[in-house]
Amino acid sequence: MWTAGRMSNAKNLLGLGVSLYFWGLMDLTTSVLSGSAGPLSEREEDHLSDKQHQRMKRSWVWNQFFVLEEYTGTDPLYVGKLHSDMDRGDGSIKYILSGEGAGIVFTIDDTTGDIHAIQRLDREERSQYTLRAQALDRRTGRPMEPESEFIIKIQDINDNEPKFLDGPYVASVPEMSPVGTSVIQVTATDADDPTYGNSARVVYSILQGQPYFSVDSRTGLIRTALMNMDREAKEYYEVIIQAKDMGGQLGGLAGTTTVNITLSDVNDNPPRFPQKHYQMSVLESAPISSTVGRVVAKDLDEGINAEMKYSLVDGDGLDVFDINTDPNYQVGIITVRKPLSFESKKSYTLKVEGANPHLEMRFLNLGPFRDTTTIHISVEDVDEPPVFEPSFYFVEVPEDVEIGTTIQIISAKDPDLTNNSIRYSIDRSSDPGRFFYVDITSGALMTARPLDREDVSWHNITVLAMELNNPSQVGNVSATVKVLDVNDNAPEFARFYEAFVCENAKAGQLIQTVSAIDRDDPQEGQHFYYSLAPEAANNPNFTLRDNQDNTAWILTRRSGFRQHEQNMFYLPILISDNGRPMLSSTGTLTVHVCSCDDDGMVMSCTAEAYVLPVSLSRGALIAILTCIFVLLVLVLLILSMRRHRKQPYVIDEEENIHENIVRYDDEGGGEEDTEAFDIAAMWNPREAQLVVKNRQDMLPEIESLSRYVPQTCMMDNNVHNYVLAKLYEADMDLWAPPFDSLQTYMFEGNGSVAESLSSLQSVTTDSDQSYDYLTDWGPRFKKLAEMYGATDNSGPLW
């Protein structure tokens, strides 16, 4: 039978909490006090059995040993002793130990059964070991006892300090929080056995962070301990918490952790402008929505509590300026709302308010959470382009307006104080047809070419106004000209009409319906009147019926049409409109006579040769063809001669005529003035006749335009009208050269008796305005001498 024991007194055994387990009934106290850790002997058991009414003999079972952790001695630590009843002390029994840690942590003396720990034990690493013991016959190796299992438990000592496994901690609490507000709870863990003594009983205390915060000694909950903590004064706090085991008693182990506490912001600070007055300036040419300046109200808070909303609350520029809030920088941006004018108003005053949109009711007593400032804005003068009044022109003009008629006065002025003079012009890209002209000084918009509504009914032109002293300043305005319709187009057939009449047609039969179109657009609508032309009023073949719906019917007046008599008729039709004045035109309807079937379907419209009165022989046909050929040759010859006459005249270097004939009204400076033409051209009468004809190698000069200008235009004092009319005639003249020609005649000749007739040097003459010398020039100047009062000495003075 197994016996386990430990050589110690009863007091130590009780202090170590040794437990012995039995099979059967046994007085534990008696066994422990006896100093024996093993079972009773057989004699004692028998004696006890007798006392207990002869109970059945059975052995008790042990299964636990206890050993302290963290043994620091040099010798192996004695754990206990194993003993078998079969062991007589002669060394015949051999003890063997197996299981967890056998041979590594624990060893057994195979003769005595003593168990020792040969390594340092740590309960926090392993709290118990399970082993098995066996007794063998040393000589035979036969088991003397059945293998038994027992446990060695490691008994705890206070060798671990409390640890904060989640530290260091980070927490936040709103500023201005009341005392006792919870911040964060910290927890320390002690690896010692909490069921044995006070080794794992932890107590919390604060080492750093007073008087701002406190900690609950039992739970580790941190709370605020000071009221009115202001984030703007101090935002970050470092709190050190200590956890000590053994209930905080002297000798206990301690651990610490750091708690970083941040005061979060609340809206407890109202915004304030750093200045009560601001001065800004802006150019009067600043566009709409351009920035004038920025203002900012300082707020010690942050985040949503520092958000601002700016507004204009007072001033004389509320309708001229606006203010917006920049959400990123919380800045008030002042912008232009309406166009500025230095000449109208030179300065503005604005009162700006900045306010917090997010308020907390418990801090309203710290307000008001808004502030105001005053802004003075000066408008600076710039050189502005001319301004048109009004800013848009709409003109209606009839299409038959005369050239040079003023249709609108365009007006612009310099908005600056200098009020510079304005010069007007038309942007030619807006009037490529050059239908209009604007007076450079007065701005009178006039017609320069005839208008035709049917070609262009609307004109959108741009008139420019430029400062005379600063050409870079140019303003513009749009002028829309609507061309009104007048009745200047006669109606005409809508298309080419060609009718067919059957030979078997009856009188009064409809052969064609005609309609007309008119390019004009009268307000009362189109209405056309149809009738046969006067020369066909009594037409015996056809008649016309006006349907009064802008259409007309063409009817046959008789029957019995024959192709071989006349296979085609031309019917002139007069078409008139309802305009004022009434216009009309004549259209021709071509009527073909055709052979038709009984149902009136056209079969053939070609005239058939029924009977040839005389059969033509081959010789007659050849004679006819020969005549036709001769006629063709004559026609070609005539055309060739005309073409030869129209070919440009090629100047031959050997020809005498090589000068341009220039015609002018004065008689010239004498016989030596030959620069204008070659006098040799008059020697040959044939060449003299050619001079009269138009030269083929040059285009004729521009003829006088006065004959094309209406008399009303010529009598008008407005020179511009006359010039525009002449310009239009020059543009319409296909024979006009594309450039102007200027010829300067410096030499007037030396052979004339009259010498120079110019009055440019009359001031320096010695004649003292005497014209008596005119009588010496001969009979050719007699009339001129009489006009200037020159007298002939041979005649009477009256």
Side-chain angles (χ1 to χ4, degrees):
M1 180 176 294
W2 284 104
T3 300
R6 181 164 184 167
M7 302 305 294
S8 60
N9 55 31
K11 181 178 179 181
N12 291 335
L13 290 175
L14 288 174
L16 296 175
V18 176
S19 299
L20 302 178
Y21 299 90
F22 302 89
W23 288 103
L25 297 176
M26 177 180 178
D27 187 357
L28 176 60
T29 305
T30 303
S31 175
V32 171
L33 292 177
S34 66
S36 174
L40 299 176
S41 63
E42 291 182 0
R43 185 180 298 177
E44 292 173 342
E45 186 176 356
D46 293 340
H47 178 72
L48 185 60
S49 298
D50 292 341
K51 290 182 178 182
Q52 297 177 355
H53 308 288
Q54 302 296 324
R55 290 183 180 181
M56 182 179 294
K57 177 182 178 182
R58 60 180 63 184
S59 60
W60 55 273
V61 179
W62 53 271
N63 65 352
Q64 288 191 94
F65 286 100
F66 294 87
V67 61
L68 290 175
E69 65 171 339
E70 303 294 345
Y71 172 71
T72 58
T74 58
D75 296 332
L77 176 64
Y78 179 73
V79 177
K81 183 179 181 65
L82 296 179
H83 183 73
S84 176
D85 292 343
M86 300 296 182
D87 189 359
R88 303 301 180 186
D90 55 1
S92 61
I93 300 300
K94 180 180 180 181
Y95 296 97
I96 298 176
L97 187 66
S98 63
E100 298 175 346
I104 300 175
V105 180
F106 301 100
T107 60
I108 188 172
D109 189 325
D110 61 354
T111 302
T112 62
D114 293 335
I115 302 174
H116 293 83
I118 60 176
Q119 287 190 5
R120 182 171 175 267
L121 302 176
D122 189 353
R123 190 198 68 83
E124 287 71 36
E125 294 181 359
R126 190 160 189 166
S127 61
Q128 67 180 21
Y129 295 87
T130 301
L131 297 99
R132 295 181 297 277
Q134 191 175 17
L136 303 176
D137 190 319
R138 188 179 295 276
R139 289 175 297 177
T140 64
R142 184 174 58 85
M144 303 298 294
E145 293 281 355
E147 186 180 51
S148 298
E149 186 178 84
F150 65 95
I151 298 174
I152 299 178
K153 289 190 174 182
I154 311 302
Q155 195 169 19
D156 182 54
I157 63 173
N158 189 21
D159 61 341
N160 291 279
E161 73 278 2
K163 294 181 180 180
F164 294 91
L165 301 181
D166 298 329
Y169 296 87
V170 177
S172 65
V173 63
E175 62 174 332
M176 311 298 289
S177 296
V179 176
T181 302
S182 297
V183 180
I184 192 174
Q185 184 176 13
V186 296
T187 302
T189 302
D190 196 322
D192 294 326
D193 189 359
T195 63
Y196 178 73
N198 294 328
S199 299
R201 182 185 172 192
V202 178
V203 174
Y204 300 95
S205 62
I206 184 169
L207 300 183
Q208 177 180 314
Q210 295 176 330
Y212 306 103
F213 301 95
S214 63
V215 63
D216 189 291
S217 61
R218 185 176 60 86
T219 62
L221 180 62
I222 301 175
R223 294 186 174 91
T224 58
L226 188 66
M227 64 183 303
N228 296 332
M229 287 192 293
D230 192 0
R231 182 196 68 85
E232 288 73 31
K234 185 176 181 180
E235 184 176 3
Y236 301 102
Y237 295 86
E238 186 178 72
V239 179
I240 298 178
I241 302 298
Q242 175 184 267
K244 189 173 183 181
D245 59 10
M246 299 298 293
Q249 298 178 4
L250 186 64
L253 302 179
T256 61
T257 187
T258 300
V259 182
N260 296 312
I261 301 176
T262 302
L263 295 183
S264 59
D265 185 62
V266 296
N267 193 8
D268 59 340
N269 292 278
R272 292 292 179 263
F273 285 101
Q275 298 176 221
K276 287 300 180 183
H277 297 278
Y278 289 87
Q279 183 68 38
M280 299 180 183
S281 62
V282 60
L283 296 176
E284 65 172 335
S285 60
I288 303 299
S289 300
S290 60
T291 300
V292 178
R294 292 175 171 83
V295 293
V296 58
K298 301 294 184 179
D299 193 330
L300 298 178
D301 298 322
E302 64 180 7
I304 191 175
N305 299 313
E307 289 186 2
M308 303 294 296
K309 182 181 172 89
Y310 296 93
S311 59
L312 301 178
V313 296
D314 197 7
D316 57 356
L318 297 180
D319 59 338
V320 180
F321 298 95
D322 200 358
I323 188 168
N324 301 305
T325 303
D326 186 342
N328 296 323
Y329 300 98
Q330 304 302 323
V331 176
I333 304 175
I334 301 174
T335 57
V336 178
R337 187 176 181 181
K338 288 185 178 180
L340 303 174
S341 176
F342 173 81
E343 292 73 25
S344 300
K345 191 172 179 61
K346 297 180 176 60
S347 64
Y348 295 88
T349 300
L350 300 175
K351 188 175 183 179
V352 179
E353 179 185 81
N356 289 140
H358 307 285
L359 302 178
E360 295 190 26
M361 302 302 296
R362 60 193 180 107
F363 298 120
L364 291 180
N365 60 326
L366 302 178
F369 287 83
R370 63 184 66 245
D371 195 17
T372 59
T373 187
T374 302
I375 301 177
H376 298 281
I377 301 177
S378 300
V379 180
E380 297 182 358
D381 186 29
V382 296
D383 191 4
E384 299 176 279
V387 177
F388 288 88
E389 294 180 0
S391 59
F392 175 77
Y393 288 90
F394 176 75
V395 184
E396 291 182 339
V397 58
E399 61 178 325
D400 61 347
V401 64
E402 294 183 0
I403 297 176
T405 302
T406 299
I407 61 175
Q408 181 68 46
I409 300 297
I410 307 295
S411 177
K413 68 176 183 178
D414 184 4
D416 300 320
L417 294 178
T418 55
N419 194 17
N420 293 324
S421 299
I422 306 298
R423 294 294 180 264
Y424 300 92
S425 62
I426 293 180
D427 185 358
R428 285 307 172 189
S429 62
S430 65
D431 185 26
R434 297 179 179 267
F435 289 96
F436 301 96
Y437 168 80
V438 64
D439 187 82
I440 190 171
T441 56
S442 65
L445 183 62
M446 297 174 285
T447 57
R449 291 182 57 188
L451 303 179
D452 190 354
R453 187 202 66 84
E454 288 71 34
D455 290 339
V456 182
S457 59
W458 291 86
H459 297 269
N460 296 310
I461 62 176
T462 301
V463 179
L464 307 177
M466 178 185 67
E467 291 185 12
L468 182 61
N469 296 336
N470 188 3
S472 62
Q473 296 297 331
V474 180
N476 62 81
V477 69
S478 295
T480 299
V481 180
K482 179 181 180 181
V483 183
L484 301 179
D485 183 57
V486 296
N487 192 27
D488 59 346
N489 291 278
E492 57 187 13
F493 277 145
R495 58 181 180 84
F496 175 73
Y497 286 104
E498 192 174 24
F500 302 92
V501 61
C502 295
E503 290 181 318
N504 56 0
K506 298 180 180 180
Q509 182 176 336
L510 175 65
I511 63 171
Q512 183 67 49
T513 300
V514 295
S515 62
I517 58 173
D518 194 336
R519 297 181 62 192
D520 295 323
D521 187 19
Q523 296 181 355
E524 60 274 10
Q526 300 278 8
H527 186 74
F528 304 121
Y529 304 96
Y530 299 89
S531 64
L532 293 179
E535 62 271 18
N538 298 321
N539 190 294
N541 303 310
F542 305 97
T543 185
L544 180 144
R545 179 185 299 174
D546 193 341
N547 298 322
Q548 301 300 320
D549 60 354
N550 292 339
T551 63
W553 287 352
I554 308 301
L555 307 173
T556 58
R557 178 168 286 184
R558 66 178 179 86
S559 60
F561 294 93
R562 296 293 181 264
Q563 280 186 337
H564 64 275
E565 294 179 359
Q566 186 173 352
N567 63 346
M568 188 176 300
F569 296 90
Y570 297 98
L571 185 63
I573 300 175
L574 182 65
I575 312 170
S576 303
D577 59 15
N578 61 333
R580 294 183 181 85
M582 178 181 291
L583 299 179
S584 62
S585 67
T586 301
T588 301
L589 173 65
T590 303
V591 182
H592 297 273
V593 179
C594 303
S595 59
C596 306
D597 57 13
D598 295 337
D599 296 330
M601 300 300 295
V602 176
M603 298 175 58
S604 174
C605 295
T606 303
E608 300 178 358
Y610 290 93
V611 178
L612 292 177
V614 179
S615 59
L616 298 178
S617 63
R618 182 178 301 176
L621 292 177
I622 294 175
I624 293 173
L625 293 177
T626 303
C627 293
I628 294 174
F629 178 76
V630 172
L631 290 175
L632 289 177
V633 171
L634 292 176
V635 170
L636 293 176
L637 181 61
I638 295 172
L639 292 178
S640 176
M641 293 178 63
R642 289 185 177 182
R643 183 178 179 183
H644 179 71
R645 290 180 180 180
K646 293 182 179 180
Q647 288 181 351
Y649 185 79
V650 179
I651 300 176
D652 192 356
E653 296 181 356
E654 298 179 356
E655 291 185 4
N656 294 327
I657 301 176
H658 55 82
E659 297 289 343
N660 294 334
I661 302 301
V662 180
R663 181 183 48 152
Y664 46 89
D665 294 336
D666 61 88
E667 298 186 0
E671 298 175 353
E672 294 184 5
D673 184 7
T674 58
E675 292 185 359
F677 61 93
D678 188 3
I679 196 65
M682 300 181 181
W683 294 347
N684 192 340
R686 181 182 178 183
E687 293 178 352
Q689 294 178 1
L690 294 177
V691 172
V692 180
K693 299 180 181 180
N694 292 332
R695 290 285 299 273
Q696 299 298 323
D697 60 333
M698 60 176 291
L699 296 177
E701 297 179 355
I702 302 176
E703 298 183 7
S704 176
L705 299 178
S706 58
R707 61 189 180 91
Y708 295 103
V709 181
Q711 294 299 323
T712 56
C713 182
M714 295 180 60
M715 296 301 294
D716 193 354
N717 294 329
N718 191 344
V719 179
H720 290 289
N721 297 351
Y722 180 74
V723 173
L724 290 174
K726 295 182 66 176
L727 178 62
Y728 171 71
E729 295 295 340
D731 291 339
M732 295 296 102
D733 191 352
L734 299 179
W735 296 100
F739 53 86
D740 293 333
S741 176
L742 176 63
Q743 297 186 11
T744 303
Y745 298 93
M746 301 293 295
F747 177 68
E748 298 185 358
N750 295 325
S752 177
V753 179
E755 297 181 348
S756 176
L757 296 179
S758 174
S759 61
L760 298 178
Q761 299 179 356
S762 60
V763 180
T764 60
T765 182
D766 297 331
S767 61
D768 195 18
Q769 302 300 324
S770 176
Y771 300 99
D772 295 338
Y773 58 88
L774 294 177
T775 58
D776 300 333
W777 288 359
R780 297 175 60 185
F781 297 93
K782 181 179 180 180
K783 187 65 176 178
L784 185 61
E786 293 177 356
M787 292 176 59
Y788 280 84
T791 59
D792 190 358
N793 296 330
S794 60
L797 296 179
W798 61 89

